[in-house]
């Protein structure tokens, strides 16, 4: 990704030319390896799991990865208390149970939880507002890690600040654990509108845009030129049905995280497979109708507008 | 001569990058999710992604058997990373019931280099690709553990803990790489595959219907 492909076979090959980047000995932890990993997940569904048994159900349903966490967001909401990184034993159990990538959540700013997760061999870390933040001012400096990070964002400026810290993948925040897709919709539309707006600006105006977005001007220029984020954009937060997933894809998501929506529903295996199929065929209403039949009870939802501000996860992080 | 129509299996994975690389090499790229779309192509790319996800979706949507039949009939195919796994006849370190399209007489080991923290970039010399070594990106990549007599080894890892492992192969009209040329902007592997598709189309009088099912049994 990144560089445009040469127009003809005779054209120079940009990568082959940059020999200083092309080490003869294998190099790990590069931006391209981190961002490229997320490129492989596109068009797929990443599912929250709390046990190896759930991870196996997710893999069998066609998940592209699983997200290991201590409690799904709906339970964190119901039970309260401080939500932290999972028990290492549980993470290792999940890694051992499946062959697909395993992600795990660290608290915002908790760089030691991130160090532990890297040492355990997780494939991606979600620096997540669903857990209780560990730092009220700073996110983790992510560039220094070998393991890649995904971070949540509510708008373009927040997405670019996370990328400047080293995030190799962005997801909408949504309002996790509610089964209500309204906040994810708001965030996807906001990020998309922000990207479109940059495309209409000239070079001079991009400086002001960078100031207003509170993001580095180089990243702002790159988004204006590409017409998209320089990393993969997924959606997350409140997705509970195949139609929710398909709607997010049509709004520009490149893939879907599903949290409580699967294992808080009546038939997790069936619902998980249905959401996977609806994500691949998000533009085909006949397929979505077919896979939406007979799924049993969806998770019980929460009306986001009745949530007090102190219980809103999307306002965590900045 | 019209541009060859080359499909990219678009169930999941880095489809967009392969479409762009094929277009840059003068092919007409099209996403393939349904048997009738497969029937219209001169060649097929199986992209990087999650092989377990792709094969489950192919099976559920009635595409797995048409894919196998097309490869048996001689449809040219190129697989990168997960695509290499799907074109292999035998897979190690996969879920017990993992199916593949098959066609390549190789045994492939999934996630052979390790987990994501072991993913890497390196230079790889590729037989049949002029212009010096490629800059190769390996992401939770497989390698070829064992290759049958009809398989030509195109490239191996140089240096590091996996020195000498086979990461690029060709057998007839099938090509596979462990790494992702679609992520680098270097389209020489795609050039090689587009040439192969053109040659196959010229050799087959029926040309464009190698992807089509003989019996017309598409759902």
């Amino acid at each position: 990704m990144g560089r445009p492909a040469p127009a003809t076979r005779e054209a120079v090959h940009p990568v082959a030319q940059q020999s200083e980047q092309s080490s003869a000995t294998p190099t790990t932890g590069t931006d391209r390896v981190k961002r490229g990993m997320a490129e492989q997940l596109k068009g797929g569904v990443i599912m929250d799991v709390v046990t190896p048994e759930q991870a196996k159900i997710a893999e069998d349903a066609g998940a592209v990865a699983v997200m290991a966490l201590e409690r799904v967001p709906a339970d964190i909401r119901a039970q309260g208390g401080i939500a932290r990184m999972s028990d290492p034993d549980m993470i290792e159990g999940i890694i051992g149970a499946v062959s697909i990538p395993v992600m795990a959540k660290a608290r915002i700013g908790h760089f030691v939880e991130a160090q532990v997760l890297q040492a355990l061999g997780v494939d991606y870390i979600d620096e997540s507002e669903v857990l209780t933040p560990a730092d009220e001012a700073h996110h983790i400096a992510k560039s220094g890690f070998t393991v890649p990070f995904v971070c949540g964002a509510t708008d373009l400026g927040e997405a670019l600040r996370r990328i400047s810290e080293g995030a190799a993948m962005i997801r909408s925040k949504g309002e996790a654990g509610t089964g209500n897709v309204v906040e994810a919709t708001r965030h996807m539309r906001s990020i998309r509108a922000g990207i479109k707006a940059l495309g209409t600006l000239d070079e001079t105006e991009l400086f002001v845009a960078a100031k207003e977005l509170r993001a580095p001007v180089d990243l702002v220029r790159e988004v204006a030129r590409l017409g998209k984020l320089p990393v993969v954009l997924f959606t997350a937060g409140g997705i509970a049905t195949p139609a929710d997933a398909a709607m997010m894809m049509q709004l520009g998501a490149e893939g879907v995280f599903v949290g409580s929506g699967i294992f808080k529903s009546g038939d997790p295996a069936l619902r998980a497979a249905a959401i996977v199929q609806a994500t691949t065929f998000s533009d085909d209403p006949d397929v979505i109708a077919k896979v939406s039949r007979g799924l049993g009870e969806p998770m019980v939802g929460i009306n986001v507008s009745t949530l007090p501000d102190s219980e809103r996860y999307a306002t965590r992080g900045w | 001569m019209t541009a060859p129509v080359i499909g990219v299996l678009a169930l999941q994975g880095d489809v967009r990058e392969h479409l762009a690389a094929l277009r840059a090499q003068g092919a007409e790229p099209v996403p393939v999710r349904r048997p009738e779309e497969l029937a219209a192509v001169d060649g097929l790319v199986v992209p990087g992604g999650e092989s377990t996800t792709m094969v489950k979706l192919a099976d559920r949507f009635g595409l797995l058997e048409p894919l196998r039949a097309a490869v048996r009939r001689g449809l040219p195919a190129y697989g990168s990373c997960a695509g290499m796994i799907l074109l292999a006849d035998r897979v190690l370190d996969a879920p017990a019931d993992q199916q593949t399209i098959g066609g390549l007489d190789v045994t492939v080991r999934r996630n052979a280099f390790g987990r994501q923290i072991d993913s890497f970039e390196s230079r790889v010399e590729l037989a049949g690709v002029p212009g010096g070594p490629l800059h190769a990106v390996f992401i939770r990549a497989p390698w070829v553990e064992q290759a049958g007599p009809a398989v030509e080894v195109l490239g191996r890892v140089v240096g590091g803990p996996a020195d000498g492992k086979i990461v690029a192969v060709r057998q007839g009209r099938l090509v596979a790489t462990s790494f992702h040329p679609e992520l680098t902007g270097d389209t020489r592997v795609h050039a090689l595959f587009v040439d192969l598709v053109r040659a196959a189309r010229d050799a087959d009088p029926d040309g464009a219907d190698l992807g089509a099912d003989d019996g017309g049994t598409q759902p």
Side-chain angles (χ1 to χ4, degrees):
Chain A
M1 57 169 294
R3 295 184 190 82
T8 69
R9 196 170 313 177
E10 289 71 31
V12 291
H13 300 295
V15 174
Q17 273 206 328
Q18 298 194 350
S19 54
E20 77 282 2
Q21 280 195 3
S22 190
S23 167
T25 52
T27 315
T28 59
T30 62
D31 274 354
R32 188 143 57 195
V33 161
K34 291 175 176 178
R35 294 179 180 189
M37 166 78 200
E39 302 286 350
Q40 307 313 311
L41 302 172
K42 282 188 299 194
V45 181
I46 299 167
M47 303 181 190
D48 276 4
V49 298
V50 300
T51 63
E53 294 70 33
Q54 288 186 354
K56 194 70 199 141
I57 290 170
E59 181 178 52
D60 289 345
V64 289
V66 291
M67 174 75 71
L69 72 173
E70 186 188 31
R71 291 174 284 170
V72 293
D75 287 337
I76 294 172
R77 281 186 189 283
Q79 297 161 5
I82 304 298
R84 311 178 178 90
M85 174 185 84
S86 292
D87 182 329
D89 277 345
M90 186 57 77
I91 292 171
E92 282 188 345
I94 289 169
I95 287 174
V98 294
S99 68
I100 57 177
V102 176
M103 300 184 168
K105 286 186 192 287
R107 283 179 268 177
I108 289 175
H110 206 314
F111 51 88
V112 173
E113 282 190 350
Q115 291 165 3
V116 170
L117 292 173
Q118 175 166 294
L120 289 171
V122 305
D123 296 298
Y124 238 91
I125 295 175
D126 185 0
E127 185 183 19
S128 177
E129 71 284 359
V130 169
L131 306 186
T132 311
D135 188 320
E136 291 185 329
H138 309 93
H139 283 255
I140 298 168
K142 294 169 273 289
S143 300
F145 285 78
T146 306
V147 67
F149 284 75
V150 56
C151 287
T154 58
D155 57 29
L156 179 60
E158 196 174 357
L160 296 182
R161 288 192 292 282
R162 295 296 86 77
I163 294 167
S164 72
E165 294 157 359
M169 179 180 188
I170 294 293
R171 56 170 174 76
S172 68
K173 283 184 172 171
E175 198 54 51
T178 62
N180 187 339
V181 82
V182 65
E183 291 300 306
T185 304
R186 185 201 313 280
H187 302 159
M188 291 308 300
R189 284 197 184 277
S190 173
I191 293 168
R192 190 169 74 160
I195 293 170
K196 274 190 187 156
L198 286 187
T200 66
L201 303 182
D202 68 24
E203 179 65 22
T204 315
E205 291 162 338
L206 287 174
F207 287 102
V208 177
K211 188 180 75 178
E212 288 168 352
L213 289 166
R214 294 187 290 135
V217 69
D218 289 350
L219 270 177
V220 170
R221 278 202 203 99
E222 188 176 4
V223 171
R225 182 170 51 81
L226 296 174
K228 66 182 285 300
L229 293 181
V231 303
V232 166
L233 173 64
F234 267 46
T235 193
I239 287 102
T241 70
D244 288 349
M247 177 177 167
M248 291 299 121
M249 295 297 284
Q250 289 196 29
L251 284 174
E254 296 179 286
V256 179
F257 284 89
V258 186
S260 319
I262 289 172
F263 289 100
K264 284 290 164 187
S265 74
D267 190 336
L270 194 60
R271 184 166 294 265
I275 291 176
V276 167
Q277 294 169 56
T279 300
T280 291
F281 288 89
S282 60
D283 58 347
D284 187 334
D286 291 336
V287 171
I288 300 164
K290 189 174 137 214
V291 303
S292 297
R293 292 173 204 272
L295 294 182
E297 283 296 304
M299 71 176 284
V300 177
I302 298 174
N303 188 342
V304 177
S305 61
T306 65
L307 274 181
D309 280 355
S310 62
E311 290 178 24
R312 291 188 182 221
Y313 297 158
T315 58
R316 296 171 171 176
W318 31 87
Chain B
M1 200 70 182
T2 55
V5 177
I6 301 186
V8 178
L9 189 65
L11 298 170
Q12 189 272 316
D14 64 346
V15 176
R16 186 176 60 219
E17 289 72 15
H18 277 291
L19 293 171
L22 290 167
R23 192 174 297 115
Q25 287 301 334
E28 185 190 333
V30 293
V32 168
R33 291 182 298 179
R34 300 175 176 86
E36 60 270 29
E37 292 162 349
L38 177 66
V41 302
D42 302 316
L44 181 76
V45 170
V46 186
E50 197 45 57
S51 62
T52 56
T53 301
M54 281 191 239
V55 81
K56 281 178 209 298
L57 283 165
D59 195 22
R60 279 183 206 140
F61 287 92
L63 194 57
L64 191 55
E65 278 311 321
L67 283 166
R68 287 173 173 156
V71 168
R72 270 200 305 273
R73 273 195 307 279
L75 180 74
Y78 163 55
S80 70
C81 194
M84 173 189 261
I85 296 168
L86 289 190
L87 291 178
D89 282 342
R90 297 168 298 279
V91 183
L92 301 173
D93 290 345
D97 57 347
Q98 175 151 0
Q99 306 185 73
T100 67
I101 299 166
L104 277 175
D105 179 18
V106 295
T107 303
V108 163
R109 185 176 292 281
R110 272 183 85 214
N111 304 332
F113 295 91
R115 305 194 64 81
Q116 170 60 15
I117 50 172
D118 306 305
S119 292
F120 65 99
E121 305 184 37
S122 189
R123 275 201 299 243
V124 173
E125 286 272 4
L126 227 57
V129 171
L134 279 101
H135 185 81
V137 181
F138 295 83
I139 296 173
R140 283 173 53 94
W143 66 46
V144 174
E145 189 104 347
Q146 175 267 329
V151 177
E152 180 188 358
V153 174
L154 299 181
R156 295 175 186 268
V157 173
V158 178
D163 185 50
K165 291 294 180 185
I166 301 170
V167 291
V169 292
R170 175 173 179 175
Q171 180 182 356
R173 292 174 176 177
L174 303 179
V175 179
T177 61
S178 302
F179 53 88
H180 295 275
E182 73 277 12
L183 292 181
T184 62
D186 181 342
T187 56
R188 285 178 290 167
V189 174
H190 291 83
L192 178 142
F193 183 61
V194 172
D195 284 347
L196 193 161
V197 173
R198 285 185 198 276
R201 193 177 61 171
D202 294 346
D204 285 308
D206 291 340
D209 60 357
L210 280 171
D213 201 320
D214 295 326
T217 52
Q218 297 148 21

